[in-house]
Amino acid sequence: MQDNERLSRVLPKSSAARDVLYPLATGLAQLPWDAGTLRSHLKTRLPQPLQHLAAPMTRVLIRAFPGSAAPDAPRIVSALAHTGSAAQLRDFARKTQTRPAPVLALPRFLPAPPFADIGLPQLTSCAELEDWLALPPDQLIRFADLRSLSAFSRDPFGPHYRHHLIPKSDGRLRLIEEPKPMLKRLQRRILHGLLDRIPVHPAACGFVPGRNAIQGAARHAGEAVVIAFDLADFFARIPFARIYSLFRALGYPRAVAMHLTGLTTSTVPDHILQMPGLAASGALSVRHLPQGAPTSPALANLCALHLDRRLSGLARSCNATYTRYADDLTFSGDAAIAPLMLRAVPQIISDAGFRANPAKTRIMPAQGRQIVTGLIVNRHINIPRRTYDRLKATIHHLARPDDARRSDRAFLTSLSGQIAWLEQVHPLRGHRLRNALAAALG
Protein backbone atom coordinates (compact mmCIF):
# COMPACT_ATOMS: atom_id res chain seq x y z
CA MET A 1 0.00 0.00 0.00
CA GLN A 2 1.43 3.38 -0.98
CA ASP A 3 1.93 6.23 1.51
CA ASN A 4 -0.74 8.35 -0.19
CA GLU A 5 -3.25 5.51 0.04
CA ARG A 6 -2.58 5.16 3.75
CA LEU A 7 -2.79 8.91 4.23
CA SER A 8 -6.23 9.07 2.63
CA ARG A 9 -7.53 6.82 5.38
CA VAL A 10 -6.30 9.27 7.99
CA LEU A 11 -7.61 12.57 6.65
CA PRO A 12 -9.68 13.87 3.72
CA LYS A 13 -7.82 14.63 0.50
CA SER A 14 -8.46 18.36 0.82
CA SER A 15 -7.05 18.62 4.35
CA ALA A 16 -3.94 20.39 5.55
CA ALA A 17 -2.35 16.97 5.94
CA ARG A 18 -1.86 16.31 2.25
CA ASP A 19 -1.05 19.90 1.36
CA VAL A 20 1.19 20.99 4.21
CA LEU A 21 2.00 18.31 6.77
CA TYR A 22 2.89 15.44 4.48
CA PRO A 23 5.96 17.09 2.90
CA LEU A 24 7.20 17.88 6.40
CA ALA A 25 6.45 14.36 7.64
CA THR A 26 8.49 12.67 4.92
CA GLY A 27 11.60 14.44 6.21
CA LEU A 28 10.83 13.80 9.88
CA ALA A 29 10.38 10.08 9.19
CA GLN A 30 14.04 9.82 8.14
CA LEU A 31 15.57 11.42 11.23
CA PRO A 32 17.00 10.11 14.51
CA TRP A 33 13.99 10.25 16.82
CA ASP A 34 14.99 12.70 19.53
CA ALA A 35 13.60 16.09 20.45
CA GLY A 36 16.66 18.13 19.58
CA THR A 37 17.00 16.69 16.09
CA LEU A 38 13.30 17.07 15.31
CA ARG A 39 13.16 20.65 16.55
CA SER A 40 16.24 21.69 14.54
CA HIS A 41 14.91 20.02 11.39
CA LEU A 42 11.51 21.72 11.71
CA LYS A 43 13.14 25.13 12.13
CA THR A 44 14.89 24.67 8.79
CA ARG A 45 11.71 23.50 7.05
CA LEU A 46 9.10 25.89 8.46
CA PRO A 47 8.66 29.38 6.92
CA GLN A 48 10.31 32.17 8.89
CA PRO A 49 7.09 33.57 10.47
CA LEU A 50 6.16 30.10 11.77
CA GLN A 51 9.47 28.80 13.06
CA HIS A 52 8.17 29.19 16.61
CA LEU A 53 5.92 26.16 15.88
CA ALA A 54 8.94 23.85 15.84
CA ALA A 55 8.92 23.41 19.62
CA PRO A 56 5.19 22.60 20.08
CA MET A 57 5.19 20.30 17.06
CA THR A 58 8.18 18.43 18.49
CA ARG A 59 6.44 18.03 21.85
CA VAL A 60 3.38 16.55 20.14
CA LEU A 61 5.49 14.07 18.20
CA ILE A 62 7.62 12.91 21.13
CA ARG A 63 4.50 12.49 23.24
CA ALA A 64 2.70 10.55 20.47
CA PHE A 65 5.71 8.34 19.65
CA PRO A 66 7.85 8.00 22.79
CA GLY A 67 10.15 5.32 21.37
CA SER A 68 13.57 5.81 19.83
CA ALA A 69 12.66 5.02 16.19
CA ALA A 70 10.93 7.34 13.73
CA PRO A 71 7.35 6.41 12.76
CA ASP A 72 6.09 6.45 9.18
CA ALA A 73 5.11 9.73 7.54
CA PRO A 74 1.34 8.97 7.59
CA ARG A 75 1.47 8.37 11.35
CA ILE A 76 3.31 11.65 11.85
CA VAL A 77 0.62 13.42 9.82
CA SER A 78 -2.09 11.78 11.89
CA ALA A 79 -0.48 12.97 15.15
CA LEU A 80 -0.14 16.57 13.97
CA ALA A 81 -3.28 16.95 11.86
CA HIS A 82 -5.68 18.35 14.47
CA THR A 83 -3.24 20.53 16.39
CA GLY A 84 -3.17 24.32 16.44
CA SER A 85 0.17 24.19 14.62
CA ALA A 86 -1.44 22.40 11.68
CA ALA A 87 -4.16 25.05 11.50
CA GLN A 88 -1.60 27.85 11.44
CA LEU A 89 0.40 26.09 8.71
CA ARG A 90 -2.76 25.64 6.63
CA ASP A 91 -3.76 29.31 7.02
CA PHE A 92 -0.27 30.49 6.10
CA ALA A 93 -0.24 28.24 3.02
CA ARG A 94 -3.59 29.64 1.87
CA LYS A 95 -2.53 33.25 2.33
CA THR A 96 0.82 32.88 0.58
CA GLN A 97 -0.20 30.19 -1.93
CA THR A 98 2.91 28.19 -1.01
CA ARG A 99 3.54 24.64 0.14
CA PRO A 100 6.61 23.05 1.76
CA ALA A 101 8.89 21.45 -0.80
CA PRO A 102 9.06 17.65 -0.62
CA VAL A 103 12.16 16.03 0.82
CA LEU A 104 14.15 14.41 -1.97
CA ALA A 105 16.74 12.64 0.21
CA LEU A 106 17.14 8.91 -0.38
CA PRO A 107 15.88 6.53 2.32
CA ARG A 108 18.39 5.81 5.08
CA PHE A 109 19.22 2.88 7.29
CA LEU A 110 18.64 4.43 10.70
CA PRO A 111 18.40 1.95 13.61
CA ALA A 112 17.21 2.94 17.06
CA PRO A 113 20.17 3.37 19.48
CA PRO A 114 19.97 -0.16 21.04
CA PHE A 115 20.41 -1.70 17.57
CA ALA A 116 22.99 0.71 16.16
CA ASP A 117 26.15 -1.34 16.74
CA ILE A 118 25.11 -4.98 16.37
CA GLY A 119 26.09 -5.44 12.73
CA LEU A 120 22.69 -5.55 11.06
CA PRO A 121 22.75 -5.61 7.24
CA GLN A 122 22.32 -2.03 6.01
CA LEU A 123 19.51 -2.31 3.47
CA THR A 124 18.02 0.96 2.23
CA SER A 125 16.04 -0.11 -0.84
CA CYS A 126 14.17 -3.07 -2.26
CA ALA A 127 16.99 -3.53 -4.78
CA GLU A 128 19.48 -3.97 -1.93
CA LEU A 129 17.10 -6.37 -0.16
CA GLU A 130 16.75 -8.39 -3.37
CA ASP A 131 20.54 -8.60 -3.71
CA TRP A 132 20.93 -9.63 -0.07
CA LEU A 133 18.32 -12.38 -0.50
CA ALA A 134 19.75 -13.36 -3.93
CA LEU A 135 16.35 -12.81 -5.56
CA PRO A 136 15.41 -11.46 -9.00
CA PRO A 137 13.35 -8.23 -8.73
CA ASP A 138 9.95 -9.72 -9.55
CA GLN A 139 10.43 -12.52 -7.02
CA LEU A 140 10.63 -10.18 -4.01
CA ILE A 141 7.16 -8.88 -4.83
CA ARG A 142 5.92 -12.44 -5.25
CA PHE A 143 7.22 -13.84 -1.98
CA ALA A 144 6.57 -10.76 0.20
CA ASP A 145 3.01 -10.92 -1.16
CA LEU A 146 1.90 -7.69 0.50
CA ARG A 147 -1.58 -8.01 -0.99
CA SER A 148 -1.97 -11.60 0.31
CA LEU A 149 -2.77 -12.88 -3.17
CA SER A 150 -1.12 -16.25 -2.65
CA ALA A 151 -3.46 -17.19 0.21
CA PHE A 152 -6.48 -16.91 -2.09
CA SER A 153 -4.94 -18.33 -5.24
CA ARG A 154 -6.87 -21.11 -6.98
CA ASP A 155 -3.63 -22.38 -8.49
CA PRO A 156 -2.45 -25.35 -6.37
CA PHE A 157 1.12 -24.06 -6.70
CA GLY A 158 0.14 -20.48 -5.75
CA PRO A 159 0.03 -20.51 -1.93
CA HIS A 160 3.34 -20.00 -0.10
CA TYR A 161 2.32 -22.12 2.92
CA ARG A 162 1.13 -25.65 3.61
CA HIS A 163 -1.42 -25.90 6.41
CA HIS A 164 -1.48 -28.67 9.01
CA LEU A 165 -4.14 -29.07 11.71
CA ILE A 166 -2.88 -30.66 14.94
CA PRO A 167 -5.31 -31.72 17.70
CA LYS A 168 -4.82 -29.86 21.00
CA SER A 169 -5.42 -31.27 24.47
CA ASP A 170 -8.68 -29.30 24.73
CA GLY A 171 -10.09 -30.87 21.55
CA ARG A 172 -9.58 -27.84 19.31
CA LEU A 173 -7.24 -27.75 16.31
CA ARG A 174 -3.89 -25.95 16.26
CA LEU A 175 -2.86 -24.52 12.88
CA ILE A 176 0.73 -25.06 11.75
CA GLU A 177 1.68 -22.92 8.75
CA GLU A 178 4.67 -24.47 7.02
CA PRO A 179 6.37 -22.28 4.41
CA LYS A 180 7.19 -23.97 1.13
CA PRO A 181 10.91 -24.55 0.39
CA MET A 182 11.72 -21.30 -1.43
CA LEU A 183 10.04 -19.05 1.13
CA LYS A 184 11.57 -21.10 3.93
CA ARG A 185 15.01 -20.51 2.40
CA LEU A 186 14.39 -16.75 2.37
CA GLN A 187 13.16 -16.83 5.96
CA ARG A 188 16.26 -18.72 7.08
CA ARG A 189 18.40 -16.07 5.40
CA ILE A 190 16.52 -13.39 7.38
CA LEU A 191 16.85 -15.45 10.58
CA HIS A 192 20.57 -16.17 10.41
CA GLY A 193 21.69 -13.04 8.58
CA LEU A 194 19.62 -10.52 10.55
CA LEU A 195 17.52 -11.72 13.49
CA ASP A 196 20.20 -13.90 15.11
CA ARG A 197 22.32 -10.76 15.53
CA ILE A 198 19.77 -9.07 17.81
CA PRO A 199 20.13 -9.77 21.55
CA VAL A 200 16.96 -10.86 23.36
CA HIS A 201 16.05 -10.48 27.02
CA PRO A 202 18.01 -12.74 29.45
CA ALA A 203 14.72 -14.22 30.68
CA ALA A 204 13.91 -15.64 27.22
CA CYS A 205 15.10 -19.26 27.13
CA GLY A 206 13.39 -20.65 24.04
CA PHE A 207 14.66 -20.42 20.45
CA VAL A 208 17.73 -18.44 21.46
CA PRO A 209 21.20 -19.67 20.39
CA GLY A 210 23.02 -21.00 23.45
CA ARG A 211 19.90 -21.27 25.64
CA ASN A 212 17.39 -24.07 26.11
CA ALA A 213 14.51 -25.33 28.23
CA ILE A 214 16.84 -27.19 30.59
CA GLN A 215 18.78 -24.04 31.50
CA GLY A 216 15.54 -22.12 31.98
CA ALA A 217 14.03 -24.78 34.23
CA ALA A 218 17.23 -25.01 36.31
CA ARG A 219 16.72 -21.40 37.48
CA HIS A 220 13.61 -22.50 39.36
CA ALA A 221 14.99 -25.60 41.09
CA GLY A 222 14.60 -25.88 44.87
CA GLU A 223 12.16 -22.97 45.34
CA ALA A 224 9.23 -22.87 47.77
CA VAL A 225 6.70 -22.17 45.01
CA VAL A 226 6.67 -22.23 41.21
CA ILE A 227 3.93 -20.31 39.36
CA ALA A 228 3.25 -20.88 35.66
CA PHE A 229 1.29 -18.70 33.23
CA ASP A 230 0.53 -19.29 29.56
CA LEU A 231 0.14 -16.85 26.66
CA ALA A 232 -2.88 -17.74 24.55
CA ASP A 233 -2.30 -18.08 20.79
CA PHE A 234 1.18 -16.61 21.11
CA PHE A 235 2.21 -16.40 17.43
CA ALA A 236 -1.23 -15.71 15.97
CA ARG A 237 -1.70 -12.66 18.20
CA ILE A 238 1.38 -10.90 16.81
CA PRO A 239 0.02 -9.02 13.77
CA PHE A 240 1.65 -7.56 10.66
CA ALA A 241 1.75 -4.05 12.16
CA ARG A 242 3.78 -5.17 15.16
CA ILE A 243 6.38 -6.93 13.01
CA TYR A 244 6.55 -3.94 10.68
CA SER A 245 7.17 -1.62 13.65
CA LEU A 246 9.98 -3.91 14.78
CA PHE A 247 11.74 -3.79 11.41
CA ARG A 248 11.35 0.01 11.39
CA ALA A 249 12.95 0.19 14.83
CA LEU A 250 15.81 -1.93 13.51
CA GLY A 251 16.48 0.91 11.08
CA TYR A 252 14.93 -0.20 7.81
CA PRO A 253 13.13 2.38 5.67
CA ARG A 254 9.49 1.89 4.86
CA ALA A 255 9.78 -0.15 1.64
CA VAL A 256 12.40 -2.52 3.07
CA ALA A 257 10.52 -2.95 6.35
CA MET A 258 7.27 -3.64 4.49
CA HIS A 259 8.84 -6.39 2.37
CA LEU A 260 10.70 -7.97 5.31
CA THR A 261 7.38 -8.05 7.16
CA GLY A 262 5.66 -9.56 4.14
CA LEU A 263 8.27 -12.30 3.95
CA THR A 264 7.79 -13.26 7.61
CA THR A 265 4.00 -12.98 8.09
CA SER A 266 1.11 -14.91 6.58
CA THR A 267 -2.58 -14.77 5.70
CA VAL A 268 -4.75 -17.84 6.28
CA PRO A 269 -7.09 -18.87 3.40
CA ASP A 270 -10.81 -18.71 4.08
CA HIS A 271 -11.35 -22.46 3.77
CA ILE A 272 -8.87 -23.02 6.63
CA LEU A 273 -10.41 -20.30 8.80
CA GLN A 274 -13.79 -21.94 8.44
CA MET A 275 -12.61 -25.32 9.77
CA PRO A 276 -14.76 -26.34 12.79
CA GLY A 277 -12.84 -26.24 16.05
CA LEU A 278 -9.97 -24.12 14.76
CA ALA A 279 -8.17 -22.53 17.70
CA ALA A 280 -7.40 -18.78 17.58
CA SER A 281 -9.58 -18.33 14.49
CA GLY A 282 -10.15 -14.66 15.36
CA ALA A 283 -6.45 -13.85 15.60
CA LEU A 284 -5.69 -15.92 12.50
CA SER A 285 -8.16 -13.90 10.42
CA VAL A 286 -5.64 -11.04 10.11
CA ARG A 287 -2.09 -11.25 8.80
CA HIS A 288 0.16 -12.55 11.58
CA LEU A 289 3.28 -14.48 12.57
CA PRO A 290 2.85 -18.03 11.27
CA GLN A 291 3.53 -20.86 13.70
CA GLY A 292 5.81 -23.07 11.63
CA ALA A 293 8.03 -20.46 9.95
CA PRO A 294 11.72 -20.48 11.01
CA THR A 295 11.65 -16.71 11.64
CA SER A 296 8.59 -16.69 13.89
CA PRO A 297 10.16 -17.73 17.24
CA ALA A 298 12.92 -15.10 16.94
CA LEU A 299 10.46 -12.36 15.94
CA ALA A 300 8.11 -13.36 18.75
CA ASN A 301 10.95 -13.14 21.27
CA LEU A 302 11.76 -9.61 20.05
CA CYS A 303 8.11 -8.57 20.19
CA ALA A 304 7.96 -9.89 23.77
CA LEU A 305 10.94 -7.78 24.90
CA HIS A 306 8.75 -5.19 26.65
CA LEU A 307 6.77 -7.97 28.34
CA ASP A 308 9.99 -9.65 29.55
CA ARG A 309 11.32 -6.37 30.91
CA ARG A 310 8.19 -5.65 32.93
CA LEU A 311 7.84 -9.18 34.28
CA SER A 312 11.54 -9.33 35.18
CA GLY A 313 11.13 -6.06 37.05
CA LEU A 314 8.10 -7.46 38.88
CA ALA A 315 10.09 -10.55 39.84
CA ARG A 316 13.04 -8.50 41.11
CA SER A 317 10.71 -6.40 43.26
CA CYS A 318 9.82 -9.46 45.34
CA ASN A 319 13.13 -11.38 45.08
CA ALA A 320 11.66 -13.91 42.66
CA THR A 321 12.96 -15.51 39.45
CA TYR A 322 11.30 -15.15 36.03
CA THR A 323 11.86 -17.02 32.76
CA ARG A 324 9.91 -17.38 29.52
CA TYR A 325 10.07 -20.30 27.09
CA ALA A 326 8.02 -19.15 24.07
CA ASP A 327 4.49 -18.82 25.52
CA ASP A 328 5.28 -20.40 28.92
CA LEU A 329 5.95 -17.85 31.70
CA THR A 330 7.42 -19.14 34.97
CA PHE A 331 8.06 -17.45 38.34
CA SER A 332 9.56 -18.98 41.46
CA GLY A 333 10.50 -17.85 44.95
CA ASP A 334 9.02 -17.68 48.43
CA ALA A 335 5.41 -18.77 48.88
CA ALA A 336 4.44 -15.14 49.61
CA ILE A 337 4.93 -14.13 45.94
CA ALA A 338 1.86 -16.04 44.73
CA PRO A 339 -0.88 -13.44 45.50
CA LEU A 340 1.11 -10.62 43.89
CA MET A 341 1.85 -12.64 40.75
CA LEU A 342 -1.76 -13.72 40.33
CA ARG A 343 -2.89 -10.07 40.51
CA ALA A 344 -0.17 -8.36 38.50
CA VAL A 345 0.96 -10.77 35.78
CA PRO A 346 -2.31 -11.00 33.76
CA GLN A 347 -2.55 -7.20 33.63
CA ILE A 348 1.06 -6.83 32.48
CA ILE A 349 0.46 -9.47 29.82
CA SER A 350 -2.57 -7.53 28.57
CA ASP A 351 -0.71 -4.20 28.62
CA ALA A 352 2.03 -5.74 26.44
CA GLY A 353 -0.49 -6.74 23.77
CA PHE A 354 -0.81 -10.44 24.61
CA ARG A 355 -3.53 -12.47 26.30
CA ALA A 356 -3.17 -14.84 29.25
CA ASN A 357 -4.79 -18.28 29.23
CA PRO A 358 -6.28 -18.57 32.74
CA ALA A 359 -6.97 -22.30 32.31
CA LYS A 360 -3.22 -22.96 32.26
CA THR A 361 -2.24 -20.87 35.30
CA ARG A 362 -0.74 -23.18 37.93
CA ILE A 363 0.60 -22.69 41.46
CA MET A 364 3.02 -25.48 42.39
CA PRO A 365 4.25 -25.55 46.02
CA ALA A 366 7.29 -27.60 46.98
CA GLN A 367 5.07 -30.15 48.74
CA GLY A 368 3.80 -31.32 45.33
CA ARG A 369 5.46 -31.87 41.98
CA GLN A 370 6.87 -28.73 40.38
CA ILE A 371 7.20 -28.92 36.59
CA VAL A 372 8.76 -26.31 34.30
CA THR A 373 8.79 -26.92 30.52
CA GLY A 374 8.29 -30.64 31.11
CA LEU A 375 11.03 -31.01 33.72
CA ILE A 376 10.72 -31.65 37.46
CA VAL A 377 12.45 -28.90 39.48
CA ASN A 378 11.57 -29.70 43.11
CA ARG A 379 15.18 -30.19 44.27
CA HIS A 380 17.11 -30.50 41.04
CA ILE A 381 16.35 -30.98 37.36
CA ASN A 382 14.91 -34.37 36.50
CA ILE A 383 12.80 -36.11 33.86
CA PRO A 384 9.26 -37.13 34.86
CA ARG A 385 9.13 -40.89 35.34
CA ARG A 386 6.29 -41.26 32.85
CA THR A 387 8.42 -39.65 30.12
CA TYR A 388 11.21 -42.16 30.70
CA ASP A 389 8.75 -45.07 30.86
CA ARG A 390 7.06 -43.98 27.62
CA LEU A 391 10.37 -43.86 25.74
CA LYS A 392 11.39 -47.22 27.21
CA ALA A 393 8.08 -48.80 26.12
CA THR A 394 8.41 -47.36 22.61
CA ILE A 395 11.89 -48.86 22.23
CA HIS A 396 10.62 -52.18 23.56
CA HIS A 397 7.92 -52.32 20.86
CA LEU A 398 10.44 -51.38 18.16
CA ALA A 399 12.24 -54.66 18.85
CA ARG A 400 9.36 -56.49 17.18
CA PRO A 401 10.20 -57.24 13.54
CA ASP A 402 6.63 -56.40 12.43
CA ASP A 403 6.65 -52.86 13.89
CA ALA A 404 6.32 -50.57 10.83
CA ARG A 405 8.04 -47.71 12.65
CA ARG A 406 11.39 -49.52 12.36
CA SER A 407 11.67 -48.26 8.77
CA ASP A 408 10.15 -44.81 9.39
CA ARG A 409 13.16 -42.54 9.20
CA ALA A 410 11.29 -39.45 10.44
CA PHE A 411 9.98 -41.33 13.48
CA LEU A 412 13.41 -42.74 14.35
CA THR A 413 15.00 -39.29 14.01
CA SER A 414 12.40 -37.84 16.36
CA LEU A 415 12.89 -40.67 18.87
CA SER A 416 16.66 -40.20 18.78
CA GLY A 417 16.16 -36.48 19.45
CA GLN A 418 13.99 -37.22 22.48
CA ILE A 419 16.68 -39.53 23.84
CA ALA A 420 19.33 -36.86 23.23
CA TRP A 421 17.24 -34.38 25.21
CA LEU A 422 16.94 -36.87 28.08
CA GLU A 423 20.72 -37.45 27.96
CA GLN A 424 21.29 -33.76 28.70
CA VAL A 425 19.19 -34.00 31.86
CA HIS A 426 20.01 -37.53 33.04
CA PRO A 427 23.05 -38.91 31.17
CA LEU A 428 22.88 -42.41 32.71
CA ARG A 429 19.22 -43.01 31.82
CA GLY A 430 19.76 -41.51 28.40
CA HIS A 431 22.74 -43.79 27.79
CA ARG A 432 20.63 -46.82 28.73
CA LEU A 433 17.89 -45.84 26.30
CA ARG A 434 20.42 -45.15 23.54
CA ASN A 435 21.88 -48.65 23.96
CA ALA A 436 18.41 -50.20 24.12
CA LEU A 437 17.43 -48.47 20.85
CA ALA A 438 20.55 -49.75 19.10
CA ALA A 439 19.83 -53.28 20.32
CA ALA A 440 16.16 -53.09 19.28
CA LEU A 441 17.04 -52.07 15.74
CA GLY A 442 19.72 -54.74 15.69
Side-chain angles (χ1 to χ4, degrees):
M1 187 181 296
Q2 299 298 314
D3 278 344
N4 286 345
E5 293 173 357
R6 293 183 64 196
L7 185 59
S8 66
R9 296 186 180 187
V10 177
L11 292 168
K13 290 184 178 180
S14 61
S15 69
R18 187 173 298 278
D19 295 339
V20 179
L21 293 178
Y22 195 70
L24 295 175
T26 56
L28 292 167
Q30 296 192 57
L31 294 176
W33 199 250
D34 65 83
T37 302
L38 300 183
R39 188 166 51 249
S40 296
H41 177 81
L42 283 169
K43 282 186 176 179
T44 66
R45 297 279 285 138
L46 291 169
Q48 181 68 33
L50 298 180
Q51 287 186 357
H52 65 280
L53 298 179
M57 291 174 71
T58 297
R59 286 195 294 271
V60 168
L61 292 174
I62 294 297
R63 187 164 55 248
F65 308 106
S68 55
D72 277 354
R75 297 184 70 201
I76 293 174
V77 170
S78 181
L80 293 173
H82 301 293
T83 63
S85 298
Q88 291 185 57
L89 284 168
R90 180 197 61 214
D91 293 343
F92 183 86
R94 286 175 177 171
K95 290 177 182 177
T96 62
Q97 294 297 302
T98 60
R99 300 287 185 273
V103 172
L104 301 179
L106 294 174
R108 302 167 57 193
F109 173 72
L110 193 66
F115 309 119
D117 300 313
I118 58 176
L120 294 176
Q122 300 189 21
L123 309 170
T124 61
S125 68
C126 288
E128 291 181 357
L129 177 58
E130 290 159 357
D131 289 343
W132 187 72
L133 293 170
L135 271 176
D138 59 330
Q139 296 301 298
L140 177 61
I141 295 172
R142 175 191 170 197
F143 286 104
D145 192 23
L146 294 176
R147 297 176 64 188
S148 298
L149 298 178
S150 72
F152 306 104
S153 172
R154 296 182 181 275
D155 184 338
F157 297 100
H160 294 318
Y161 288 85
R162 297 185 179 96
H163 299 92
H164 310 283
L165 295 169
I166 310 298
K168 298 179 64 175
S169 59
D170 61 5
R172 295 183 300 161
L173 297 173
R174 182 193 310 277
L175 178 63
I176 303 299
E177 300 171 78
E178 178 194 5
K180 291 182 179 178
M182 185 59 184
L183 179 58
K184 186 180 290 187
R185 182 186 73 77
L186 298 175
Q187 290 173 343
R188 284 177 173 155
R189 170 65 168 149
I190 294 169
L191 174 64
H192 300 307
L194 195 160
L195 299 176
D196 279 352
R197 299 172 183 267
I198 306 169
V200 300
H201 195 277
C205 300
F207 311 106
V208 180
R211 305 181 202 173
N212 57 41
I214 298 170
Q215 295 168 344
R219 300 187 198 180
H220 302 285
E223 294 289 355
V225 67
V226 175
I227 308 168
F229 297 87
D230 179 81
L231 300 177
D233 313 321
F234 183 44
F235 293 103
R237 292 187 180 279
I238 300 178
F240 182 99
R242 196 161 182 175
I243 301 302
Y244 172 72
S245 295
L246 172 64
F247 281 121
R248 289 285 287 132
L250 294 177
Y252 296 106
R254 171 182 159 71
V256 176
M258 286 288 285
H259 284 80
L260 284 169
T261 307
L263 289 166
T264 54
T265 57
S266 71
T267 301
V268 178
D270 288 339
H271 72 277
I272 300 293
L273 287 173
Q274 293 165 6
M275 291 291 294
L278 179 66
S281 57
L284 291 170
S285 65
V286 298
R287 193 155 180 164
H288 59 278
L289 270 190
Q291 185 171 358
T295 43
S296 290
L299 287 168
N301 276 338
L302 294 172
C303 288
L305 179 60
H306 179 64
L307 173 69
D308 289 335
R309 284 174 174 167
R310 289 198 61 187
L311 293 179
S312 291
L314 174 67
R316 283 194 303 271
S317 71
C318 55
N319 199 30
T321 299
Y322 161 70
T323 62
R324 180 179 58 81
Y325 188 89
D327 55 357
D328 293 325
L329 316 178
T330 306
F331 297 84
S332 63
D334 296 336
I337 71 170
L340 173 61
M341 296 300 168
L342 293 175
R343 286 196 311 272
V345 171
Q347 184 60 53
I348 292 174
I349 290 173
S350 178
D351 291 345
F354 297 98
R355 186 168 70 86
N357 182 355
K360 292 189 176 182
T361 299
R362 292 172 296 147
I363 301 175
M364 296 171 280
Q367 293 82 359
R369 191 166 61 168
Q370 298 172 319
I371 295 183
V372 177
T373 58
L375 298 168
I376 297 174
V377 297
N378 286 70
R379 291 190 179 88
H380 51 79
I381 297 294
N382 205 349
I383 296 288
R385 181 71 195 191
R386 68 171 179 267
T387 300
Y388 177 76
D389 290 344
R390 176 178 52 79
L391 289 172
K392 187 176 178 180
T394 300
I395 293 170
H396 176 75
H397 287 294
L398 281 174
R400 299 175 181 176
D402 61 345
D403 193 322
R405 295 175 299 177
R406 292 171 59 90
S407 58
D408 187 336
R409 184 170 299 179
F411 172 79
L412 294 176
T413 299
S414 174
L415 181 59
S416 179
Q418 293 176 63
I419 294 173
W421 180 71
L422 191 149
E423 285 175 318
Q424 295 182 60
V425 182
H426 201 302
L428 179 59
R429 284 185 174 180
H431 182 66
R432 288 173 182 167
L433 291 180
R434 182 74 63 187
N435 289 341
L437 178 61
L441 297 176

